[in-house]
């Protein structure tokens, strides 16, 4: 659905983005552009990955943070900076501050992944854990700024942040000048807005598509209403785009310059992350995989060449394990089955023999023998199996039933 509306001139210009690019020379990497043979075959046109997951700190956030902090007045730098983030913005602010010799304090939720907390500290920031959700953390950071005079560095709602993120768009045009469609994940909107400013000024024919997680999609209702609208309790595994309300500054730009905002499901995000890992050998966080999820969900919808921006690779190992298993299940490559069998010596070995014949890899076995629901001679077994796809799952189920097992679930 196209949401473009007539709005005032965006507060960020191509000259701002070009100035940011000069400022970031020697600071931010010009990240690689990698082709995807699998997606190229699926879409029927060249598909490339813009690998911001390989950026310093593991995401594009360093770009905007550095430009914002570098633009502070001397007295503002002397007061230090403060930010609130669950991960990527925290690390971007921490490293940018260290490079510029500015003291930084970063508020993070108490439940933030330990690797992200450790990395933020190692980049030089003082980390303070506060609140259970980002909104509480954000309030604490803003209170700290008001009390101490430290400059609050917003993750997306500032022109300097957007100009810095827009340098990704300049690099895309330099690396893939024939590009026709750019897909980019959208949370608050800073990255999408910055790319749109740069690309539309130079190549207005390029289609820019924003991608949001279905459970945290604040932009579609906001664009329909013509103003930022907050959604209650955004829910998605993609914490990098888990934002309940668009930023005021990026919202204006997205409404004017981004051609479409579409959503993807959690299953599609999981499948996309798995594809990036298996086919492209790239570690990408769920938010970074959202453009790939959009391509997988409707490959015929995008004119090529296509560039999908992999915005970050900072994924918690525990979450990665869960997401990969979820992605395998979504592809029919992971099967959980519960069944009953006669409780006698060798019964479990016989069951495993049936699974061996159909080449199902057993990952986990749970064997229950004492339960009020079970008969005196019954046992219940729950199996987690690795399979080769939906057809193989059906084959496994048929083999179990043919062997006389009562498959409950």
């Amino acid at each position: 659905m196209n949401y473009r509306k007539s709005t005032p001139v965006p507060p960020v210009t191509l000259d701002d983005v070009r100035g940011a690019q000069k400022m970031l020379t020697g600071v931010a990497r010009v990240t690689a552009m990698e082709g995807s043979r699998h997606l190229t075959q699926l879409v029927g046109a060249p598909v490339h990955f813009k690998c911001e997951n390989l950026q310093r700190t593991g995401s594009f956030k360093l770009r905007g943070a550095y430009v914002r902090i570098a633009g502070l007045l001397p007295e503002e730098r002397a007061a230090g900076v403060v930010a609130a983030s669950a991960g990527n913005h925290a690390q971007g602010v921490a490293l940018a501050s260290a490079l510029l010799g500015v003291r930084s304090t970063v508020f993070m939720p108490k439940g933030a992944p330990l690797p992200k907390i450790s990395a933020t500290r190692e980049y030089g920031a003082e980390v303070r854990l506060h609140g259970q959700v980002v909104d509480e953390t954000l309030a604490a950071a803003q209170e700290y700024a008001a009390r101490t005079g430290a400059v609050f560095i917003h993750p997306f709602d500032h022109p300097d942040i957007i100009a810095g993120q827009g340098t990704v768009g300049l690099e895309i045009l330099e690396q893939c000048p024939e590009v026709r469609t750019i897909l980019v994940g959208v949370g608050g909107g800073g990255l999408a807005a910055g790319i749109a400013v740069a690309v539309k000024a130079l190549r207005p024919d390029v289609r820019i598509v924003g991608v949001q997680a279905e459970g945290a999609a604040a932009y579609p209702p906001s664009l329909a209403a013509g103003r930022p609208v907050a959604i209650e309790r955004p829910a998605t595994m993609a914490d990098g785009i888990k934002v309940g309300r668009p930023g005021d500054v990026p919202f204006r730009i997205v409404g004017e310059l981004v051609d479409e905002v579409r959503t993807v499901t959690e299953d599609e995000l999981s499948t996309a992350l798995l594809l990036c890992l298996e086919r492209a050998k790239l570690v990408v966080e769920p938010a970074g995989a959202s453009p790939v999820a959009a391509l997988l969900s409707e490959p015929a919808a995008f004119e090529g060449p296509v560039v999908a921006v992999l915005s970050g690779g900072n994924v918690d190992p525990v979450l990665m394990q869960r997401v990969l298993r979820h992605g395998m299940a979504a592809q029919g490559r992971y099967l959980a089955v519960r069944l009953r069998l006669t409780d006698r010596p060798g019964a479990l070995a016989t069951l495993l023999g049936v699974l061996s014949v159909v080449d199902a890899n057993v990952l986990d076995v749970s064997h229950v023998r004492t339960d009020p629901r079970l008969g005196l001679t019954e046992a219940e077994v729950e199996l987690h199996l690795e399979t080769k796809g939906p057809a193989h799952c059906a084959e496994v189920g048929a083999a179990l039933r043919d062997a006389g097992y009562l498959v409950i679930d």
Side-chain angles (χ1 to χ4, degrees):
M1 184 173 181
N2 195 320
Y3 290 105
R4 295 184 68 179
K5 297 179 182 299
S6 177
T7 58
V9 176
V12 183
T13 67
L14 176 62
D15 285 342
D16 295 328
V17 180
R18 283 177 165 159
Q21 188 176 47
K22 291 179 181 178
M23 192 179 297
L24 289 168
T25 301
V27 176
R29 294 173 182 152
V30 176
T31 52
M33 183 83 75
E34 298 287 347
S36 171
R37 184 172 60 86
H38 176 75
L39 288 175
T40 293
Q41 292 174 343
L42 186 67
V43 173
V47 175
H48 306 280
F49 293 148
K50 177 57 174 169
C51 299
E52 281 298 289
N53 59 312
L54 303 179
Q55 183 57 261
R56 296 177 72 178
T57 74
S59 90
F60 71 96
K61 289 288 190 177
L62 171 65
R63 297 173 184 263
Y66 188 90
V67 173
R68 172 78 173 100
I69 297 169
L72 296 178
L73 298 172
E75 57 268 28
E76 291 175 318
R77 291 197 190 192
V81 299
V82 60
S85 167
N88 288 345
H89 181 59
Q91 293 172 68
V93 168
L95 178 56
S97 299
L99 294 172
L100 292 163
V102 176
R103 185 178 70 258
S104 63
T105 303
V106 176
F107 284 77
M108 304 181 76
K110 292 180 180 177
L114 290 177
K116 293 185 178 182
I117 295 173
S118 298
T120 303
R121 284 181 172 142
E122 288 172 9
Y123 286 127
E126 177 189 348
V127 174
R128 300 192 180 192
L129 302 179
H130 184 93
Q132 300 299 326
V133 296
V134 174
D135 286 344
E136 295 173 357
T137 307
L138 181 64
Q142 291 172 326
E143 186 277 330
Y144 176 89
R147 176 167 48 85
T148 66
V151 178
F152 178 68
I153 307 299
H154 199 284
F156 50 80
D157 205 10
H158 192 281
D160 289 348
I161 294 286
I162 293 169
Q165 321 304 30
T167 58
V168 176
L170 294 180
E171 290 177 18
I172 289 173
L173 294 183
E174 292 163 3
Q175 294 169 312
C176 185
E178 67 278 14
V179 63
R180 297 293 300 168
T181 305
I182 297 173
L183 286 92
V184 54
V186 178
L191 178 60
I195 289 175
V197 167
V199 171
K200 289 294 188 179
L202 296 169
R203 287 280 307 280
D205 59 303
V206 174
R207 185 170 181 81
I208 299 177
V209 179
V211 184
Q212 291 208 288
E214 191 175 70
Y219 262 91
S222 297
L223 290 166
R227 57 181 175 79
V229 174
I231 59 171
E232 293 185 8
R233 301 183 186 88
T236 175
M237 72 177 79
D239 58 354
I241 53 175
K242 186 180 176 181
V243 177
R245 182 187 183 278
D248 291 331
V249 180
F251 175 77
R252 290 172 55 192
I253 299 172
V254 170
E256 175 67 16
L257 300 179
V258 172
D259 296 280
E260 179 186 5
V261 176
R262 55 173 58 208
T263 62
V264 292
T265 67
E266 298 298 285
D267 280 354
E268 288 164 346
L269 287 169
S270 298
T271 301
L273 189 148
L274 184 61
L275 182 143
C276 289
L277 188 63
E278 286 191 326
R279 298 299 183 95
K281 308 301 182 283
L282 291 169
V283 176
V284 182
E285 61 190 270
S290 59
V292 179
L295 279 169
L296 291 173
S297 68
E298 196 176 350
F302 308 104
E303 181 184 359
V306 177
V307 172
V309 181
L310 308 183
S311 57
N314 292 317
V315 56
D316 179 34
V318 176
L319 176 62
M320 172 72 88
Q321 184 180 35
R322 287 168 37 211
V323 170
L324 290 180
R325 181 166 289 188
H326 190 81
M328 290 176 68
Q331 288 188 336
R333 294 168 53 191
Y334 177 82
L335 178 64
V337 60
R338 189 159 50 94
L339 51 83
R340 288 185 184 174
L341 46 74
T342 303
D343 186 16
R344 69 174 191 276
L348 183 57
T350 301
L351 169 62
L352 297 177
V354 172
L355 295 171
S356 176
V357 169
V358 291
D359 202 23
N361 185 30
V362 179
L363 301 176
D364 188 46
V365 178
S366 176
H367 192 195
V368 178
R369 303 174 67 184
T370 56
D371 189 293
R373 297 177 295 109
L374 298 175
L376 187 61
T377 60
E378 287 183 320
E380 190 169 281
V381 176
E382 183 173 327
L383 299 158
H384 292 184
L385 309 172
E386 183 181 357
T387 58
K388 301 173 184 177
H392 191 208
C393 286
E395 182 185 353
V396 171
L400 292 171
R401 292 182 180 90
D402 290 346
Y405 292 104
L406 173 61
V407 179
I408 302 169
D409 185 17

Short mmCIF file of all heavy atoms in Angstrom, two decimals, residues 312-344:
data_model
loop_
_atom_site.label_atom_id
_atom_site.label_comp_id
_atom_site.label_asym_id
_atom_site.label_seq_id
_atom_site.Cartn_x
_atom_site.Cartn_y
_atom_site.Cartn_z
N GLY A 312 21.89 -4.99 10.95
CA GLY A 312 22.68 -5.31 12.14
C GLY A 312 22.87 -6.80 12.33
O GLY A 312 22.13 -7.62 11.79
N GLY A 313 23.91 -7.13 13.10
CA GLY A 313 24.21 -8.54 13.36
C GLY A 313 24.40 -8.85 14.82
O GLY A 313 24.97 -9.88 15.18
N ASN A 314 23.91 -7.96 15.70
CA ASN A 314 24.08 -8.17 17.14
C ASN A 314 22.94 -9.00 17.70
O ASN A 314 21.96 -8.48 18.22
CB ASN A 314 24.15 -6.82 17.87
CG ASN A 314 25.42 -6.06 17.53
OD1 ASN A 314 26.50 -6.63 17.47
ND2 ASN A 314 25.29 -4.77 17.26
N VAL A 315 23.07 -10.29 17.58
CA VAL A 315 22.02 -11.18 18.05
C VAL A 315 22.53 -11.97 19.25
O VAL A 315 23.65 -12.50 19.23
CB VAL A 315 21.54 -12.13 16.93
CG1 VAL A 315 22.68 -12.94 16.33
CG2 VAL A 315 20.42 -13.03 17.41
N ASP A 316 21.73 -12.01 20.30
CA ASP A 316 22.08 -12.76 21.51
C ASP A 316 22.13 -14.25 21.16
O ASP A 316 21.22 -14.77 20.52
CB ASP A 316 21.01 -12.48 22.57
CG ASP A 316 21.26 -13.25 23.85
OD1 ASP A 316 22.43 -13.44 24.20
OD2 ASP A 316 20.28 -13.66 24.50
N PRO A 317 23.19 -14.97 21.56
CA PRO A 317 23.28 -16.40 21.23
C PRO A 317 22.08 -17.21 21.69
O PRO A 317 21.67 -18.15 21.00
CB PRO A 317 24.56 -16.84 21.95
CG PRO A 317 25.39 -15.60 22.06
CD PRO A 317 24.40 -14.48 22.25
N VAL A 318 21.52 -16.87 22.84
CA VAL A 318 20.34 -17.60 23.32
C VAL A 318 19.16 -17.38 22.39
O VAL A 318 18.44 -18.31 22.02
CB VAL A 318 19.99 -17.18 24.76
CG1 VAL A 318 18.70 -17.86 25.22
CG2 VAL A 318 21.14 -17.52 25.71
N LEU A 319 18.96 -16.12 21.98
CA LEU A 319 17.89 -15.81 21.03
C LEU A 319 18.16 -16.48 19.69
O LEU A 319 17.25 -17.01 19.05
CB LEU A 319 17.75 -14.30 20.85
CG LEU A 319 16.73 -13.84 19.80
CD1 LEU A 319 15.32 -14.29 20.18
CD2 LEU A 319 16.79 -12.33 19.62
N MET A 320 19.42 -16.47 19.25
CA MET A 320 19.77 -17.10 17.98
C MET A 320 19.37 -18.57 17.97
O MET A 320 18.80 -19.07 16.99
CB MET A 320 21.27 -16.96 17.74
CG MET A 320 21.78 -17.74 16.54
SD MET A 320 21.28 -17.05 14.96
CE MET A 320 22.61 -15.90 14.69
N GLN A 321 19.64 -19.26 19.07
CA GLN A 321 19.28 -20.67 19.16
C GLN A 321 17.78 -20.86 19.01
O GLN A 321 17.31 -21.74 18.27
CB GLN A 321 19.77 -21.25 20.49
CG GLN A 321 19.55 -22.74 20.65
CD GLN A 321 20.06 -23.23 21.99
OE1 GLN A 321 19.99 -22.54 23.00
NE2 GLN A 321 20.60 -24.44 22.01
N ARG A 322 17.00 -20.03 19.72
CA ARG A 322 15.54 -20.13 19.65
C ARG A 322 15.02 -19.78 18.26
O ARG A 322 14.14 -20.44 17.72
CB ARG A 322 14.91 -19.22 20.70
CG ARG A 322 15.04 -19.73 22.12
CD ARG A 322 14.67 -18.69 23.15
NE ARG A 322 13.55 -17.85 22.75
CZ ARG A 322 13.41 -16.59 23.13
NH1 ARG A 322 14.32 -16.02 23.90
NH2 ARG A 322 12.37 -15.90 22.74
N VAL A 323 15.57 -18.72 17.68
CA VAL A 323 15.10 -18.27 16.38
C VAL A 323 15.42 -19.29 15.30
O VAL A 323 14.60 -19.56 14.42
CB VAL A 323 15.70 -16.89 16.03
CG1 VAL A 323 15.40 -16.52 14.59
CG2 VAL A 323 15.14 -15.83 16.96
N LEU A 324 16.61 -19.86 15.35
CA LEU A 324 16.98 -20.86 14.35
C LEU A 324 16.07 -22.07 14.43
O LEU A 324 15.63 -22.61 13.40
CB LEU A 324 18.44 -21.27 14.52
CG LEU A 324 19.49 -20.22 14.16
CD1 LEU A 324 20.88 -20.75 14.38
CD2 LEU A 324 19.32 -19.76 12.71
N ARG A 325 15.76 -22.50 15.64
CA ARG A 325 14.86 -23.63 15.79
C ARG A 325 13.46 -23.26 15.26
O ARG A 325 12.80 -24.06 14.60
CB ARG A 325 14.79 -24.07 17.25
CG ARG A 325 13.88 -25.27 17.49
CD ARG A 325 14.10 -25.87 18.86
NE ARG A 325 15.38 -26.56 18.92
CZ ARG A 325 15.77 -27.33 19.95
NH1 ARG A 325 14.98 -27.49 20.99
NH2 ARG A 325 16.93 -27.91 19.94
N HIS A 326 13.04 -22.03 15.55
CA HIS A 326 11.74 -21.55 15.06
C HIS A 326 11.74 -21.50 13.53
O HIS A 326 10.77 -21.88 12.87
CB HIS A 326 11.45 -20.17 15.65
CG HIS A 326 10.06 -19.69 15.41
ND1 HIS A 326 8.98 -20.08 16.16
CD2 HIS A 326 9.56 -18.84 14.47
CE1 HIS A 326 7.89 -19.49 15.72
NE2 HIS A 326 8.21 -18.73 14.69
N GLY A 327 12.85 -21.01 12.97
CA GLY A 327 12.96 -20.94 11.52
C GLY A 327 12.95 -22.31 10.87
O GLY A 327 12.34 -22.51 9.82
N MET A 328 13.60 -23.27 11.51
CA MET A 328 13.59 -24.64 10.99
C MET A 328 12.18 -25.22 11.04
O MET A 328 11.74 -25.91 10.12
CB MET A 328 14.56 -25.51 11.78
CG MET A 328 16.02 -25.18 11.53
SD MET A 328 17.15 -26.13 12.57
CE MET A 328 16.90 -27.78 11.91
N ALA A 329 11.45 -24.92 12.12
CA ALA A 329 10.08 -25.40 12.23
C ALA A 329 9.20 -24.76 11.15
O ALA A 329 8.36 -25.43 10.54
CB ALA A 329 9.52 -25.09 13.61
N ALA A 330 9.41 -23.47 10.90
CA ALA A 330 8.61 -22.78 9.88
C ALA A 330 8.86 -23.36 8.50
O ALA A 330 7.98 -23.33 7.63
CB ALA A 330 8.93 -21.28 9.89
N GLN A 331 10.05 -23.91 8.28
CA GLN A 331 10.38 -24.52 6.99
C GLN A 331 10.07 -26.02 6.96
O GLN A 331 10.36 -26.69 5.98
CB GLN A 331 11.87 -24.33 6.69
CG GLN A 331 12.25 -22.91 6.33
CD GLN A 331 13.68 -22.81 5.85
OE1 GLN A 331 14.52 -23.64 6.17
NE2 GLN A 331 13.97 -21.79 5.07
N GLY A 332 9.48 -26.53 8.04
CA GLY A 332 9.18 -27.95 8.09
C GLY A 332 10.40 -28.81 8.32
O GLY A 332 10.41 -30.00 7.99
N ARG A 333 11.44 -28.23 8.92
CA ARG A 333 12.68 -28.98 9.15
C ARG A 333 12.88 -29.33 10.62
O ARG A 333 13.93 -29.85 11.00
CB ARG A 333 13.86 -28.15 8.65
CG ARG A 333 13.85 -27.95 7.14
CD ARG A 333 14.83 -26.91 6.70
NE ARG A 333 16.16 -27.17 7.21
CZ ARG A 333 17.15 -26.29 7.15
NH1 ARG A 333 16.94 -25.10 6.61
NH2 ARG A 333 18.34 -26.58 7.64
N TYR A 334 11.90 -29.05 11.41
CA TYR A 334 11.96 -29.36 12.84
C TYR A 334 10.57 -29.82 13.25
O TYR A 334 9.59 -29.14 12.99
CB TYR A 334 12.39 -28.13 13.63
CG TYR A 334 12.42 -28.34 15.12
CD1 TYR A 334 13.52 -28.94 15.73
CD2 TYR A 334 11.36 -27.95 15.93
CE1 TYR A 334 13.55 -29.15 17.09
CE2 TYR A 334 11.38 -28.15 17.29
CZ TYR A 334 12.48 -28.74 17.87
OH TYR A 334 12.52 -28.95 19.22
N LEU A 335 10.49 -30.98 13.85
CA LEU A 335 9.20 -31.57 14.17
C LEU A 335 9.16 -32.00 15.63
O LEU A 335 10.06 -32.71 16.10
CB LEU A 335 8.95 -32.79 13.28
CG LEU A 335 7.66 -33.58 13.50
CD1 LEU A 335 6.44 -32.72 13.18
CD2 LEU A 335 7.65 -34.84 12.65
N ALA A 336 8.16 -31.54 16.36
CA ALA A 336 7.91 -31.99 17.73
C ALA A 336 6.68 -32.89 17.69
O ALA A 336 5.63 -32.49 17.18
CB ALA A 336 7.68 -30.81 18.66
N VAL A 337 6.79 -34.11 18.21
CA VAL A 337 5.69 -35.05 18.15
C VAL A 337 5.54 -35.75 19.51
O VAL A 337 6.53 -36.08 20.16
CB VAL A 337 5.91 -36.10 17.02
CG1 VAL A 337 7.19 -36.88 17.24
CG2 VAL A 337 4.72 -37.03 16.90
N ARG A 338 4.29 -35.93 19.94
CA ARG A 338 3.99 -36.60 21.20
C ARG A 338 3.15 -37.84 20.90
O ARG A 338 2.17 -37.76 20.15
CB ARG A 338 3.24 -35.64 22.13
CG ARG A 338 3.06 -36.13 23.56
CD ARG A 338 2.79 -34.94 24.48
NE ARG A 338 1.74 -34.08 23.99
CZ ARG A 338 0.46 -34.20 24.34
NH1 ARG A 338 0.07 -35.15 25.19
NH2 ARG A 338 -0.46 -33.37 23.86
N LEU A 339 3.56 -38.96 21.47
CA LEU A 339 2.84 -40.21 21.18
C LEU A 339 2.86 -41.13 22.40
O LEU A 339 3.61 -40.90 23.36
CB LEU A 339 3.45 -40.91 19.96
CG LEU A 339 4.97 -41.14 19.95
CD1 LEU A 339 5.34 -42.38 20.72
CD2 LEU A 339 5.47 -41.26 18.51
N ARG A 340 2.00 -42.15 22.34
CA ARG A 340 1.93 -43.14 23.42
C ARG A 340 2.37 -44.50 22.90
O ARG A 340 2.13 -44.86 21.75
CB ARG A 340 0.52 -43.22 23.98
CG ARG A 340 0.15 -41.99 24.79
CD ARG A 340 -1.21 -42.09 25.45
NE ARG A 340 -1.53 -40.83 26.13
CZ ARG A 340 -2.70 -40.58 26.69
NH1 ARG A 340 -3.66 -41.49 26.66
NH2 ARG A 340 -2.91 -39.41 27.28
N LEU A 341 3.01 -45.24 23.80
CA LEU A 341 3.45 -46.58 23.46
C LEU A 341 3.28 -47.49 24.67
O LEU A 341 3.02 -47.04 25.79
CB LEU A 341 4.90 -46.56 22.98
CG LEU A 341 5.96 -45.76 23.77
CD1 LEU A 341 6.32 -46.44 25.06
CD2 LEU A 341 7.19 -45.55 22.92
N THR A 342 3.40 -48.76 24.46
CA THR A 342 3.30 -49.74 25.55
C THR A 342 4.57 -49.68 26.40
O THR A 342 5.68 -49.70 25.87
CB THR A 342 3.12 -51.15 24.99
OG1 THR A 342 1.96 -51.18 24.16
CG2 THR A 342 2.95 -52.16 26.12
N ASP A 343 4.39 -49.59 27.71
CA ASP A 343 5.53 -49.46 28.62
C ASP A 343 6.11 -50.84 28.92
O ASP A 343 5.70 -51.54 29.85
CB ASP A 343 5.08 -48.77 29.92
CG ASP A 343 6.26 -48.48 30.84
OD1 ASP A 343 7.41 -48.53 30.36
OD2 ASP A 343 6.02 -48.20 32.03
N ARG A 344 7.09 -51.21 28.11
CA ARG A 344 7.76 -52.51 28.30
C ARG A 344 9.23 -52.35 27.93
O ARG A 344 9.59 -51.43 27.18
CB ARG A 344 7.09 -53.57 27.44
CG ARG A 344 7.29 -53.41 25.96
CD ARG A 344 6.72 -54.59 25.17
NE ARG A 344 7.13 -54.54 23.78
CZ ARG A 344 6.52 -53.85 22.84
NH1 ARG A 344 5.44 -53.14 23.14
NH2 ARG A 344 6.97 -53.86 21.60
#
